[in-house]
Amino acid sequence: MRPSFSSRCQSYLNGLLGLSLTITLSATPQAADIEPQATDVNTLKVIPGFEVELLYSVPKESQGSWVSMTVDPKGRLIVSDQYGGLYRVTPPPTGGDPKATVVEPLGIELGQAQGLLYAFDSLYVMVANKGAYTGRGLYRVFDTNNDDQFDKIQHLRPLEGGGEHGPHAIVPAPDGKSLYIVIGNQTKLTEISGSKVPQVWEEDQILPRAYGNGFMKGVPAPGGIIYQIDPEGKDWEIIATGFRNEYDAAVNRHGELFTFDADMEWDMNTPWYRPTRICHVVSGAEFGWRNGSGKWPAYYPDSVPATVDIGPGSPTGITFGYGASFPAKYQEALFVSDWSYGKLYAVHLSPDGASYTATFEEFIGGSPLPLTDILVNPNDGALYFAIGGRRTKSGLYRVTYQGADSTESAKPTQLGANARNIRKQLESFHGRKDPHAVKEAWPYLGHSDRFLRYAARVAIEHQDPIEWQSRVLTEGNPEALINGAIALARMGAKSNRPQLLRTLNQIPNTALDTAQRIRLLRAYGLVIMRLGAPSADETKALTQRLEGFFPSKDRYLNAELCKLLVNLQSPSIAATGVALLEGAPSQEEQIDYAMSLRHLTTGWTSELRHRYFAWFNRAASYRGGASFKKFVDYIKKDALEQVPAEEKEAITALLSNATPPSSPLAAIGARSFVKEWTLEELSPILDNGLKKRDFDRGRKLFGEVACFACHRFSNEGGSLGPDLTGVAGRFSPRDLIESILDPNKEISDQYAPIVVTTTEGEQVTGRIMNLSGDNLMINVNMFNPNEIESVDRKTVESIEPSKISMMPEGLLNLLNEEEVLDLLAYLLSRGNSDDAMFQE
């Protein structure tokens, strides 16, 4: 008899992911005394045509673990131990013997640097940790007598806060006269001479946030910052804010700044989880990092979105490939390092209006390969990278191209000048008052390009509101009015609130698409948060308006409507919100509604409250990052405080009868086997079948067959499988069907599992997620990012890529033909319910 699909799938995952695996690993005394070499280049996966050589395996006891690098005018590298001193490295000529690499102490009392730069005939050093040195902050070091030895140290600027979320990279600015300083979110704001970002940053939470484990609880905006300073380090100007922990930055040949911002892995599988992401750091940018559940979603118009999401990881060094003897494609690439997963990505940027879009590929990968910093050495045209950090085994590597393609210097790509030039002109008004700013910027508040709208609003916010507030209140273009209202909410007075609300209420619903309605809701929210709670009459008028288009077909519009209506204490939101909570296919969407409803005090009945609290029993089976359970407990605690005394006993009894947590496969088990689909059967129906599809059913099926448990899609879902939002740009419908039917045919490099075999013959299968000294922390359950097995690296016999995907086979066998087509249409739509595939 054929076993049930759910039992076959569970058995498959038990064996593959170690869901019930218990392993005890211990090092033999002999192995513990031997320090292993840095990761062998023969174990690395490298783009064809490129070659990696290990130049130097760093002796941990004497030279530590290297985390930052720069190159001096003679082509020598200067490197820093995370917890120790500075070293100068003279690499051998390309093709030479790696053993000829020379490493010598730099000979100055300075180190523990997470940022190094040779510029303006001096060495800049960013000390990030407390230790034997003068203190944290930015230093400048000179060779005053030209004997090739540094002999003078200046402490340019002390900085408060340090460690791995402290002060980081120092980057040359494109004007050739200044520097960018990259600061993590655990560093306090320093004294500034100016700011491109309007200095009115707030938390801007329409409802109170939830906290998980409480990391950095109470640390408010502006979060991570990028400053621009003069070479003497006297004048510091803020360029952008709202990062979590961006470690490095790089400038492209057109003078545009990019960084690679960190995620918060403890937030995985919550609606506020934000993956690591490439950010185009435009003037005055706010990227919306806030603590706990308070991170701003990417669609908030008062923030700047990512250029591309990379996925879970730990961003470290980045650089453009300029000067490398590589094919043109890779000379133009932005190389970004992921410390925890051991990936060096090549990000390929394409101009798009006033900003960029991007794709990325794995350039080099290894396990373990804790990349820390990366640079191009113009003296030999090679790419250098270091591994190390957190006292892990460190090494220095060099990448050269040995293929047949031309390595002539790439010709600069031509940008669409209009949008970029307009953005630059608008940005020229940032940080200063100018009598022409409002007139020049105002026409772009309603522009279709988000980066132009953003630059225009920031330019206007830097001007006196008296000059422009009347224009907001008489603006007839809905998009311009929304952005003008956001500006006035941020910069205006409480007396502006009544007329501002009336003006926003006059925008016809029919004049707005879904994205604009979300922006309108943010404008309403900012008016309430910044300018004060509305009066009783204002509350009634706004509540009636919002209730008129709630619920909608869009998951994010519903989430924002729910937040705002709970803030207004709408009497109808309890029934609608609970229905949405019960019907949402992803745990992220459910958490959104549960979070909002916990603060509702009106409109409840005993039956509605019972249904609401029943969700917490359902959520007991959900999994996420290290803070996930505490987030849910925090929501439940707040919700219980709203329960009337006469109902508390019944609600407490309901919660005490929670069933034991179940696997995410339970949803799969609830469906029955339909048939074993083949590519030959499904291919013919694709040509005409992807019309008049059902978006809501497609999204629901994405949850029912456990796709949301592992994959992100349209900013929600798990993070241990590939993000499928852009799958339409990579796969035809036929190719997509084939990859689902046979997940082992092509396994994503970014998410491929490994098999670790120890000297005692034990095996652990999963993905390395973190490292500490010689300890490898491996996620063994793609449904639970917090399920970790630890392996001592000194006991490792081998690490090999798994030939079996972490994705189970046969998921489509639970669906009939119509359901297969709805699911496929949902995937190909990128989550857009207005796609032509769903039109009648």
Side-chain angles (χ1 to χ4, degrees):
M1 179 183 294
R2 172 192 293 271
S4 70
F5 178 83
S6 59
S7 65
R8 286 186 290 122
C9 188
Q10 183 70 66
S11 298
Y12 172 86
L13 287 171
N14 283 347
L16 175 61
L17 304 179
L19 296 182
S20 58
L21 187 62
T22 301
I23 297 178
T24 303
L25 298 171
S26 61
T28 63
Q30 294 85 355
D33 296 333
I34 301 172
E35 180 179 337
Q37 287 287 99
T39 303
D40 186 348
V41 296
N42 293 314
T43 67
L44 304 182
K45 185 171 183 179
V46 185
I47 290 282
F50 290 88
E51 182 178 283
V52 182
E53 56 184 326
L54 173 60
L55 295 182
Y56 189 67
S57 187
V58 181
K60 186 189 302 185
E61 292 303 316
S62 59
Q63 295 177 354
S65 196
W66 296 355
V67 295
S68 59
M69 301 191 298
T70 189
V71 61
D72 72 12
K74 296 183 178 181
R76 300 169 300 187
L77 307 182
I78 298 172
V79 303
S80 181
D81 172 16
Q82 185 174 5
Y83 306 106
L86 303 176
Y87 300 89
R88 182 153 55 196
V89 181
T90 304
T94 53
D97 185 356
K99 294 180 180 178
T101 301
V102 177
V103 179
E104 55 186 332
L106 204 57
I108 56 174
E109 288 297 315
L110 207 59
Q112 300 195 27
Q114 292 190 14
L116 293 170
L117 177 69
Y118 195 99
F120 302 112
D121 298 318
S122 58
L123 175 67
Y124 290 87
V125 181
M126 185 64 79
V127 176
N129 295 308
K130 291 180 179 178
Y133 309 110
T134 305
R136 291 170 171 149
L138 180 63
Y139 292 78
R140 190 178 185 186
V141 187
F142 300 88
D143 172 9
T144 61
N145 58 8
N146 297 316
D147 66 349
D148 202 29
Q149 299 296 320
F150 293 107
D151 52 35
K152 179 183 177 183
I153 301 175
Q154 287 184 347
H155 194 177
L156 301 183
R157 176 67 64 98
L159 293 167
E160 292 187 57
E164 293 180 0
H165 288 251
H168 298 314
I170 311 144
V171 180
D175 62 7
K177 301 176 182 178
S178 60
L179 302 169
Y180 291 125
I181 302 295
V182 179
I183 300 292
N185 66 338
Q186 211 163 27
T187 308
K188 292 184 179 179
L189 184 67
T190 190
E191 182 181 344
I192 60 174
S193 56
S195 177
K196 302 292 189 185
V197 183
Q199 296 179 59
V200 292
W201 42 73
E202 295 286 352
E203 297 299 286
D204 289 330
Q205 308 292 316
I206 192 67
L207 294 173
R209 83 190 80 198
Y211 287 100
N213 287 339
F215 178 71
M216 292 181 63
K217 182 178 181 179
V219 178
I225 300 174
I226 293 181
Y227 298 93
Q228 188 167 9
I229 71 168
D230 65 290
E232 288 72 37
K234 295 179 180 178
D235 295 325
W236 290 55
E237 182 180 34
I238 294 176
I239 299 300
T241 62
F243 301 101
R244 190 209 175 207
N245 192 31
E246 76 295 27
Y247 186 83
D248 200 359
V251 179
N252 75 0
R253 63 170 79 251
H254 301 287
E256 302 286 357
L257 182 64
F258 291 85
T259 192
F260 185 19
D261 196 21
D263 65 348
M264 177 44 157
E265 66 276 14
W266 293 359
D267 292 350
M268 282 184 176
N269 298 91
T270 66
W272 48 88
Y273 172 71
R274 306 197 317 184
T276 65
R277 52 195 200 152
I278 304 300
C279 299
H280 179 197
V281 187
V282 294
S283 171
E286 159 67 82
F287 285 92
W289 176 266
R290 300 295 186 270
N291 275 319
S293 67
K295 288 106 187 153
W296 295 3
Y299 52 72
Y300 275 7
D302 44 330
S303 71
V304 176
T307 305
V308 64
D309 288 340
I310 299 295
S314 298
T316 48
I318 75 174
T319 189
F320 279 95
Y322 308 138
S325 297
F326 289 176
K329 176 181 178 180
Y330 295 100
Q331 291 180 44
E332 297 293 316
L334 174 61
F335 292 96
V336 303
S337 308
D338 173 16
W339 182 84
S340 60
Y341 287 106
K343 308 290 186 184
L344 178 58
Y345 296 107
V347 179
H348 305 290
L349 296 158
S350 300
D352 182 29
S355 186
Y356 295 79
T357 57
T359 59
F360 64 94
E361 61 179 325
E362 184 180 321
F363 185 70
I364 297 171
S367 294
L369 195 69
L371 294 121
T372 53
D373 209 356
I374 183 172
L375 57 80
V376 173
N377 190 334
N379 288 52
D380 60 15
L383 183 72
Y384 289 76
F385 67 84
I387 66 170
R390 295 186 183 174
R391 297 188 170 89
T392 59
K393 182 63 183 178
S394 194
L396 176 66
Y397 297 78
R398 179 165 62 191
V399 185
T400 54
Y401 181 67
Q402 306 296 326
D405 293 342
S406 172
T407 58
E408 290 185 10
S409 295
K411 295 180 180 179
T413 55
Q414 297 300 312
L415 297 182
N418 278 347
R420 180 174 178 270
N421 288 345
I422 292 169
R423 195 194 86 231
K424 290 291 185 181
Q425 176 60 29
L426 294 170
E427 290 173 348
S428 72
F429 300 118
H430 293 180
R432 66 186 183 90
K433 295 188 183 301
D434 188 293
H436 304 291
V438 173
K439 181 179 179 181
E440 291 197 30
W442 201 270
Y444 296 99
L445 284 179
H447 200 277
S448 60
D449 189 306
R450 177 172 179 174
F451 281 80
L452 293 184
R453 295 197 302 268
Y454 188 91
R457 179 179 57 77
V458 172
I460 289 166
E461 287 187 6
H462 279 291
Q463 314 310 311
D464 190 331
I466 297 298
E467 294 181 38
W468 50 269
Q469 64 184 22
S470 62
R471 296 191 66 164
V472 175
L473 301 173
T474 57
E475 176 59 55
N477 179 291
E479 187 73 77
L481 171 54
I482 290 169
N483 286 284
I486 289 172
L488 191 54
R490 287 165 47 85
M491 309 302 296
K494 293 185 182 297
S495 58
N496 294 128
R497 189 197 69 239
Q499 194 169 357
L500 197 48
L501 288 175
R502 286 195 298 270
T503 304
L504 289 172
N505 284 344
Q506 291 169 7
I507 301 176
N509 288 345
T510 54
L512 304 176
D513 60 24
T514 298
Q516 289 173 319
R517 289 182 180 182
I518 291 175
R519 294 196 283 273
L520 173 64
L521 295 181
R522 180 60 171 171
Y524 277 128
L526 286 167
V527 171
I528 293 170
M529 290 181 281
R530 296 276 187 142
L531 304 183
S535 67
D537 288 342
E538 290 166 350
T539 297
K540 181 178 179 181
L542 181 54
T543 300
Q544 288 177 344
R545 180 176 194 197
L546 299 182
E547 287 175 340
F549 51 89
F550 182 66
S552 75
K553 288 189 174 182
D554 184 84
R555 171 253 187 280
Y556 297 106
L557 181 55
N558 280 338
E560 296 302 321
L561 280 164
C562 192
K563 291 174 189 176
L564 197 50
L565 285 167
V566 168
N567 175 277
L568 298 169
Q569 292 297 312
S570 161
S572 68
I573 187 62
T576 310
V578 168
L580 286 170
L581 174 67
E582 293 172 328
S586 74
Q587 68 182 50
E588 289 81 5
E589 184 180 3
Q590 294 168 30
I591 292 169
D592 254 339
Y593 302 134
M595 275 273 294
S596 296
L597 291 170
R598 83 192 202 274
H599 287 293
L600 184 66
T601 60
T602 62
W604 290 105
T605 63
S606 294
E607 185 255 346
L608 281 174
R609 190 170 278 117
H610 187 96
R611 288 163 57 192
Y612 171 71
F613 278 97
W615 176 81
F616 290 98
N617 292 344
R618 178 180 173 188
S621 65
Y622 295 163
R623 294 293 178 265
S627 282
F628 187 85
K629 182 179 184 300
K630 288 191 176 180
F631 276 128
V632 175
D633 289 345
Y634 202 102
I635 297 168
K636 180 164 59 176
K637 175 181 174 294
D638 282 352
L640 283 169
E641 291 176 358
Q642 307 294 340
V643 177
E646 63 271 19
E647 293 186 35
K648 282 196 173 181
E649 184 177 350
I651 295 298
T652 301
L654 169 67
L655 293 173
S656 67
N657 289 328
T659 56
S662 62
S663 164
L665 294 173
I668 295 178
R671 299 187 65 89
S672 59
F673 178 83
V674 175
K675 67 174 297 184
E676 192 160 330
W677 289 104
T678 66
L679 186 62
E680 290 71 24
E681 289 176 302
L682 290 173
S683 292
I685 67 175
L686 298 178
D687 292 338
N688 297 313
L690 296 175
K691 299 175 182 177
K692 299 182 180 181
R693 303 318 316 168
D694 188 325
F695 176 87
D696 291 334
R697 185 165 66 171
R699 185 167 180 269
K700 183 178 180 182
L701 290 167
F702 194 78
E704 288 185 359
V705 295
C707 301
F708 270 131
C710 304
H711 296 281
R712 283 184 72 75
F713 188 82
S714 188
N715 295 314
E716 62 180 333
S719 297
L720 294 178
D723 189 326
L724 299 180
T725 308
V727 74
R730 304 192 302 271
F731 291 92
S732 68
R734 187 183 188 281
D735 291 337
L736 181 55
I737 285 287
E738 185 176 19
S739 68
I740 298 173
L741 290 172
D742 185 7
N744 298 320
K745 184 174 182 180
E746 185 174 350
I747 303 174
S748 167
D749 292 338
Q750 188 184 4
Y751 293 91
I754 58 167
V755 179
V756 178
T757 304
T758 73
T759 53
E760 297 183 352
E762 303 284 3
Q763 288 191 333
V764 179
T765 298
R767 297 177 66 209
I768 294 178
M769 292 188 68
N770 214 331
L771 304 100
S772 179
D774 289 324
N775 192 37
L776 309 180
M777 287 166 271
I778 303 169
N779 173 254
V780 296
N781 180 358
M782 69 188 300
F783 290 123
N784 185 359
N786 206 34
E787 189 168 330
I788 303 293
E789 296 282 354
S790 295
V791 179
D792 188 329
R793 189 181 177 205
K794 295 189 292 295
T795 70
V796 173
E797 180 74 24
S798 66
I799 300 178
E800 300 175 345
S802 173
K803 297 179 181 179
I804 302 175
S805 170
M806 296 178 80
M807 175 179 168
E809 299 179 30
L811 294 177
L812 291 185
N813 297 342
L814 302 173
L815 308 181
N816 61 39
E817 181 178 306
E818 292 300 308
E819 290 174 327
V820 169
L821 290 170
D822 285 337
L823 176 61
L824 192 63
Y826 175 68
L827 284 166
L828 294 171
S829 73
R830 303 176 190 259
N832 177 18
S833 60
D834 294 327
D835 191 280
M837 289 182 289
F838 306 114
Q839 305 306 311
E840 289 296 329

